[in-house]
Amino acid sequence: MAISDNFQKRINELVGEQNIKKSTLPSKIGVDYRSVSNALNYGIVPSPRILIRIADYFNVSVKYLLGQTDDEYFSKSKTDSNFDTRFRALCERDSVTFYKVGKDCHFSNSYISRWLNFGYLPSLELLEILSDYFSVSLDYLLGRTDDMY
């Protein structure tokens, strides 16, 4: 479980700018109260699925939400895409096999199997490794934007 002061500061800023009651945010984005409360009060970074919901609600990039950039620009994808679709397309674009990606990134192919066959989403750490590997933004890899960088 990662803790980030930058994330805590950014999510509190976004809540303040939108003039939302902290207690109503979880129901607005459809996540459990504890995840949002831990983020707002302690800077505990939630799972990627919850990060995506928060970023979608505020219409910001995940990188912005995490406080890793001050660039507020975000353009939502015009196509219905997700991690699975983008991962497969990026492997095809770069002519690499799933096995090679796993080997190059130093993680088990069983992870990839769970992502592609069972709809699992990688951890934030693995998503960042993959976005670096393919030289694309985290939000592009997640299917949230069509902007690759």
Side-chain angles (χ1 to χ4, degrees):
M1 164 177 6
I3 296 176
S4 169
D5 292 336
N6 291 336
F7 169 63
Q8 181 182 13
K9 179 180 174 192
R10 184 59 48 86
I11 192 171
N12 276 292
E13 286 173 357
L14 289 167
V15 168
E17 289 170 6
Q18 296 286 324
N19 203 20
I20 302 165
K21 288 185 179 181
K22 293 178 181 181
S23 60
T24 63
L25 181 60
S27 63
K28 288 181 181 281
I29 60 177
V31 301
D32 66 290
Y33 178 81
R34 188 175 48 138
S35 294
V36 174
S37 176
N38 285 341
L40 291 165
N41 295 318
Y42 307 110
I44 296 174
V45 180
S47 72
R49 289 194 193 282
I50 293 174
L51 277 176
I52 291 167
R53 285 185 177 219
I54 295 169
D56 283 347
Y57 180 80
F58 290 110
N59 197 36
V60 297
S61 71
V62 171
K63 197 170 187 173
Y64 182 80
L65 180 61
L66 291 171
Q68 296 173 348
T69 183
D70 290 329
D71 183 2
E72 293 185 46
Y73 173 78
F74 179 75
S75 175
K76 190 162 176 60
S77 178
K78 291 175 178 55
T79 60
D80 187 24
S81 192
N82 58 29
F83 168 77
D84 175 280
T85 305
R86 289 284 168 86
F87 180 75
R88 290 175 191 273
L90 290 166
C91 286
E92 187 175 314
R93 178 198 77 179
D94 292 356
S95 301
V96 294
T97 64
F98 304 146
Y99 172 79
K100 179 160 176 38
V101 173
K103 183 178 177 189
D104 291 348
C105 294
H106 307 287
F107 47 78
S108 168
N109 284 319
S110 65
Y111 284 157
I112 295 173
S113 176
R114 283 183 274 192
W115 305 337
L116 301 180
N117 298 322
F118 302 108
Y120 284 74
L121 196 57
S123 68
L124 183 58
E125 179 183 9
L126 294 182
L127 285 166
E128 289 175 330
I129 290 170
L130 289 168
S131 71
D132 289 344
Y133 180 83
F134 289 113
S135 298
V136 297
S137 73
L138 187 58
D139 288 292
Y140 181 83
L141 180 62
L142 291 168
R144 296 188 65 241
T145 186
D146 296 326
D147 296 332
M148 292 184 85
Y149 314 102

